Amino acid sequence: VQLQASGGGLVQTGGSLRLSCAASGRTFSGVTLAWFRQASGKEREFVAHISWNGADQYYSASVKGRFTISRDNAKNTWYLEMNSLKPEDTAIYFCAAPSGYGSYYSASEVRAYDYWGQGTLVTVSS
């Protein structure tokens, strides 16, 4: 199983980026999928997750209203649309997927996920 994250880059404050995570090796159409980020010197933190059918999304308070998570089950791919970017959004962004259909952990926790993309760097300049 591989998760390939892409779409990161350098953008000015107020700009936009769209991240993609393409999965291969198995299908993730029936599970919650997520994005996390990790800034330099900090722990990995939750950004957003989306239910198996895309009907429900949940965001961290720091990105709510600016970021949108979506998915295309036919393509086994999920996305993170990031608008109104701020310097504090600078981080490596990781896509994540669980191995099963249920978890003891909240979907906002790192330990709920078993598969991780390699990360894509987002840098927001002031």
Side-chain angles (χ1 to χ4, degrees):
V1 177
Q2 286 191 328
L3 306 184
Q4 182 68 44
S6 61
L10 174 64
V11 64
Q12 292 186 331
T13 296
S16 299
L17 284 173
R18 188 192 195 209
L19 307 183
S20 298
C21 183
S24 60
R26 64 159 282 183
T27 181
F28 291 106
S29 59
V31 297
T32 294
L33 301 170
W35 287 95
F36 288 76
R37 67 186 182 186
Q38 187 166 14
S40 180
K42 296 187 177 181
E43 292 187 351
R44 192 166 300 190
E45 66 172 4
F46 167 75
V47 174
H49 64 67
I50 186 167
S51 60
W52 69 275
N53 60 357
D56 299 301
Q57 306 94 40
Y58 186 76
Y59 301 91
S60 68
S62 61
V63 308
K64 190 173 183 180
R66 300 187 297 121
F67 291 11
T68 302
I69 187 171
S70 62
R71 63 191 294 166
D72 185 335
N73 286 339
K75 296 181 178 179
N76 214 22
T77 301
W78 56 110
Y79 308 93
L80 187 68
E81 183 77 31
M82 305 185 295
N83 298 312
S84 302
L85 282 161
K86 306 175 181 179
E88 51 264 44
D89 295 317
T90 294
I92 300 173
Y93 284 70
F94 298 91
C95 53
S99 60
Y101 294 93
S103 175
Y104 293 110
Y105 308 111
S106 162
S108 303
E109 294 184 74
V110 170
R111 52 187 177 175
Y113 300 92
D114 305 289
Y115 302 113
W116 293 85
Q118 84 286 6
T120 184
L121 177 63
V122 172
T123 304
V124 185
S125 63
S126 57

